[in-house]
Amino acid sequence: MDLLDVLLRLAAVLAAFLLLPLLVGQAEHKVMAHMQGRVGPMHAGGFHGWAQLAADGVKFAQKEDTVPAGADRRLFQLAPALALIPYFVVLIAIPIGPGGMVGQVIDAGIFFVLAVLGLGVLGQLVGGWASANKYSMLGGLRTAAQLMAYELPLLLAAASVVMAAGTLSLTGILDAFQWWWIPWQLVGGAIFFTAGIAELHRPPFDAPIAPEEIIFGAFTEYSGLRFALFLLAEYAGIVIVSALTAVLFLGGWHGPFPDQLGWLWMLLKTGALCFLVIWARVAWPRLRTDQIQKFAWTVLVPLALAQIALTGIVKVVIS
């Protein structure tokens, strides 16, 4: 791989990283407006509120960038970048289409992406601690506790697919994909997707930012563009979790028809899963912290272990 090829791939990944989370943010405005009958997001800019996202950007840019007097200034300013960068790094390893449409092929790709995804919580932990605010600290601790609870079912669900494919490479998993995998890996896909949403503290798993209890969690003291970076990290996380679910459990760029569409199938599957994340925010009430923990340890972990057992049985029977 020559230098020009590396630069082109990096530019493509950077463009996708900057564009896709913004599209998800715009879609969330519109989907929630339709589902909840909210008039506001439908008017900015005229037709169907097409300029709503730009209006939000201007609003954040105009807000004062404040730092609490007692805060650790350097860590407070660094936290949004710590929350955002892991998702960019993960996107490099996700195959978008056939024929090498991936930023970088990694032999142990599934280990790489899951390890880097776990670093995303550092941004909120650092921001919560550096803010010198008890509510921010509580939000950061809730985020850490939630990550520890849902990391296990996430890893177990991914292990099921690795067992089925016989490889740790994301491109290798797609090369080994068979359509008959979907029915018997469906539970694993649901576990992976649910655990991913929980790690992003999206509703109904948004106890770490519950406004009625702890103001806005680790983000309480943030304003302006720094707060916007945290929001961008959240939308980037939605894209990454949806894309990984599509790759591991839905065949990625494989389609029900011949694969000439390639990357378009991947975008369609990722977009559909992003819609489910938005729909869950509108449709489901927030769970309490104890309910979130109980759901992880008493429902998702046993189901994930059962899925691994099923995968082992199927592999033995086939071989």
Side-chain angles (χ1 to χ4, degrees), residues 60 73 95 124 135 149 212 273:
F60 285 125
R73 179 174 290 271
Q124 295 182 44
Y135 292 112
E212 297 86 356
L273 292 171

Side-chain angles (χ1 to χ4, degrees), residues 272-294:
L273 292 171
C274 288
F275 172 81
L276 289 181
V277 176
I278 297 171
W279 170 78
R281 176 177 179 178
V282 178
W284 292 89
R286 179 184 303 123
L287 297 175
R288 298 192 311 266
T289 299
D290 63 304
Q291 292 173 325
I292 291 174
Q293 295 290 327
K294 183 177 180 180

